[in-house]
Amino acid sequence: MPITINGSGTVTGISAGGLPDGTVDADTLAANAVTDAKIAANAVTDAKIASNAVTNAKIADDAVAAAEIADNAVGLAALAGIARGKIIIGDSNGDPAVVSPGSADQVLTSDGTDVSWADAGGSGIGANLIHNPEYRVWQRGTTVTGVGTDGYAADRWKLWSNGGSHAMTVSRDTEVPAASTAGAVFPFSAKLDVTTSATGNGATWWCQRIEKGDVYHIFRGGNASQATYVTFWAKSNKTGTYCFNLQTSQSTQRCFVKEISMTNSWQKFSIAIPADTAANNWGGNPYDQGVQIGIVLTALDTSAGGNQDYAQATNNTWQNWGLGGNDYALGTSNQVNFFDSTSNEMYITGWKWEVGTAETAFNSRSYGEEINICQRYFEPIVNKENAEGIATLAYWGTGAAYGSIRFAVEKRTVPSMWFSQGSHFKVRHAQGDRQCSQMGSGGTTKVSMRPDFNASGGTNGECGWGATTSSSAYWYMRSEM
């Protein structure tokens, strides 16, 4: 078939199949002779492109837009160079970045902007290890007077002391830091109000004790120990240097001490506690005391009188609790004496102790959750009130009536029974009331007890119920540490 090229450069006379394969190759075509406009739509198919013919060098920058990539066209197999365990995130410039795997047992956490690895721990990142941190639960009453050596007030909180004549009233108060400042709504604070001063000696510590089973994972020793973080809010008209103290109850007791400067305005105290690599053997049971944590109120040097010196701690470090001789690391020598005047008072709230190297947001537990936690350690059967129907009773013989009480929650250990006095209780029945001379218990376990109402004059098998005779009556089941 003749091939004609007319004056306009148009080629005619070529029909399909007119040229043998391979006649027109890249060398036959002038540079830039084949433009996009001369290629029909969809004329170049995958079958017409040799394997590996299109390389990165032949693709212009930004030539392939996101819209030109089919959904799911780029699979994981196409992403080379990302080692096992690494993840892709967006960086501050909006570009992809690779994060390497964390260490064993670490979890990925976010600060609201970026992500990073952090220690996990048994209680989890952000979990608050402190019980009753906002002072919501007061089963002994919302005002407790005469709080002295080892006296409890708000549930789970006590005044530790090595003795002395000091005392204070501890009460629930609505004086709290502003929510706009605190970033959380704290319903209450604990108000510590000195009622009996002590200037000559003594060591005191507003603190909480936590079971070993709740802190094993933090103090495993060596590289297995974990860093933690503590925050709380406080203010006092007795301004100056106080000490935060975290003490462990291992075979060799350890403690971390940190000085804080308190004013008469609400302040948030944030304390980073490094891992204690020297943590040692715990021993004992998981329900035994594991740590004691809180704020030191007094750490006076009493060694001159042959007693202990509790003001020998070194600031901002882990150390042994016992420093040899009569020296102990409760507070530093800069610690003020909160009990030096009956004018002194302190407000404190919003405690959080968590695993990790930085604080996370404060999250309140519900009241139901909080009181269940607290009743593991303390439960009032009667709490300074006139009460009816304490327990259903029946006489076994003529001298005492017996019954059964099941506790609200299982106790830490078999609890001890504390009551006001026997005459505050009575047995009520159809023939009248019988005054108790004494109260007792038998068969007590961690979940229940048998109350013994010793009230003579009954008849064997006679039934009734327990009640009180005074609004001062109390009956407590205690399983504190």
Side-chain angles (χ1 to χ4, degrees):
M1 179 182 293
I3 301 173
T4 303
I5 303 175
N6 62 24
S8 62
T10 302
V11 179
T12 61
I14 302 177
S15 61
L19 292 176
D21 291 343
T23 301
V24 180
D25 56 19
D27 293 332
T28 309
L29 296 174
N32 302 319
V34 180
T35 62
D36 292 345
K38 295 177 180 177
I39 302 173
N42 303 317
V44 181
T45 62
D46 292 346
K48 295 177 180 178
I49 301 174
S51 298
N52 302 317
V54 181
T55 62
N56 290 339
K58 294 177 181 177
I59 301 175
D61 291 343
D62 302 320
V64 182
E68 295 169 330
I69 302 175
D71 292 343
N72 303 316
V74 181
L76 292 177
L79 298 176
I82 300 178
R84 177 181 178 181
K86 293 184 177 181
I87 59 175
I88 299 174
I89 64 170
D91 64 16
S92 58
N93 298 317
D95 297 324
V98 175
V99 176
S100 297
S103 301
D105 298 326
Q106 287 192 315
V107 296
L108 200 64
T109 62
S110 173
D111 61 5
T113 302
D114 295 311
V115 296
S116 60
W117 296 104
D119 294 331
S123 297
I125 295 293
N128 194 353
L129 294 163
I130 299 291
H131 300 163
N132 201 18
E134 305 163 274
Y135 300 103
R136 300 174 73 186
V137 182
W138 298 71
Q139 293 186 95
R140 297 168 177 83
T142 55
T143 297
V144 182
T145 60
V147 179
T149 302
D150 278 345
Y152 280 88
D155 276 63
R156 306 293 298 116
W157 292 95
K158 67 180 294 182
L159 179 67
W160 177 91
S161 172
N162 72 330
S165 58
H166 49 265
M168 62 182 180
T169 292
V170 182
S171 57
R172 188 181 72 184
D173 206 285
T174 55
E175 173 65 26
V176 294
S180 58
T181 301
V185 179
F186 301 128
F188 304 109
S189 64
K191 180 183 179 182
L192 317 183
D193 187 2
V194 176
T195 54
T196 302
S197 61
T199 58
N201 56 56
T204 57
W205 185 4
W206 180 246
C207 60
Q208 180 173 130
R209 290 174 171 172
I210 301 174
E211 294 177 55
K212 287 181 180 179
D214 292 336
V215 297
Y216 271 141
H217 61 286
I218 299 174
F219 303 103
R220 289 178 287 183
N223 293 332
S225 289
Q226 300 185 73
T228 58
Y229 208 88
V230 167
T231 53
F232 62 94
W233 290 79
K235 69 174 184 174
S236 176
N237 62 356
K238 176 62 178 180
T239 61
T241 299
Y242 289 78
C243 291
F244 163 84
N245 191 305
L246 168 62
Q247 179 203 68
T248 67
S249 299
Q250 301 161 85
S251 55
T252 299
Q253 290 179 295
R254 303 272 293 162
C255 61
F256 179 85
V257 178
K258 174 68 174 178
E259 291 182 346
I260 61 173
S261 181
M262 193 173 300
T263 68
N264 201 17
S265 298
W266 281 112
Q267 290 176 270
K268 182 181 183 179
F269 297 99
S270 302
I271 302 171
I273 304 174
D276 182 19
T277 57
N280 53 81
N281 179 44
W282 283 91
N285 300 300
Y287 50 78
D288 291 338
Q289 179 179 325
V291 302
Q292 187 160 284
I293 183 172
I295 184 169
V296 178
L297 302 179
T298 307
L300 296 179
D301 181 354
T302 61
S303 57
N307 297 315
Q308 294 85 5
D309 181 1
Y310 286 89
Q312 292 295 309
T314 301
N315 182 44
N316 201 30
T317 190
W318 280 102
Q319 56 214 283
N320 288 344
W321 165 253
L323 300 174
N326 291 326
D327 294 344
Y328 295 90
L330 177 63
T332 69
S333 58
N334 296 320
Q335 168 74 41
V336 302
N337 179 10
F338 176 70
F339 279 97
D340 66 2
S341 170
T342 55
S343 298
N344 295 344
E345 60 186 26
M346 178 186 294
Y347 296 86
I348 190 165
T349 191
W351 285 89
K352 188 171 187 181
W353 181 36
E354 58 187 313
V355 173
T357 56
E359 67 175 292
T360 62
F362 186 96
N363 294 311
S364 298
R365 289 184 283 261
S366 71
Y367 182 81
E369 291 176 296
E370 205 70 74
I371 196 168
N372 273 350
I373 291 172
C374 294
Q375 286 185 333
R376 174 171 169 80
Y377 308 90
F378 178 86
E379 182 179 341
I381 306 301
V382 175
N383 194 13
K384 299 177 182 178
E385 58 186 327
N386 287 308
E388 292 281 348
I390 300 171
T392 301
L393 305 172
Y395 272 88
W396 189 291
T398 61
Y402 305 93
S404 179
I405 292 177
R406 189 165 186 86
F407 304 136
V409 300
E410 180 179 315
K411 301 293 176 273
R412 181 184 67 90
T413 57
V414 175
S416 58
M417 176 180 175
W418 291 53
F419 61 93
S420 49
Q421 59 188 54
S423 61
H424 285 169
F425 297 87
K426 62 185 176 181
V427 176
R428 304 204 72 180
H429 57 100
Q431 285 72 43
D433 297 344
R434 294 198 180 96
Q435 183 81 36
C436 289
S437 58
Q438 186 59 275
M439 293 290 292
S441 63
T444 303
T445 71
K446 291 193 290 184
V447 297
S448 64
M449 67 169 296
R450 186 199 73 205
D452 301 350
F453 283 67
N454 291 285
S456 60
T459 302
N460 189 37
E462 183 180 67
C463 295
W465 67 91
T468 63
T469 63
S470 168
S471 59
S472 298
Y474 64 83
W475 174 358
Y476 300 150
M477 304 306 296
R478 291 187 46 168
S479 189
E480 300 278 13
M481 288 174 277

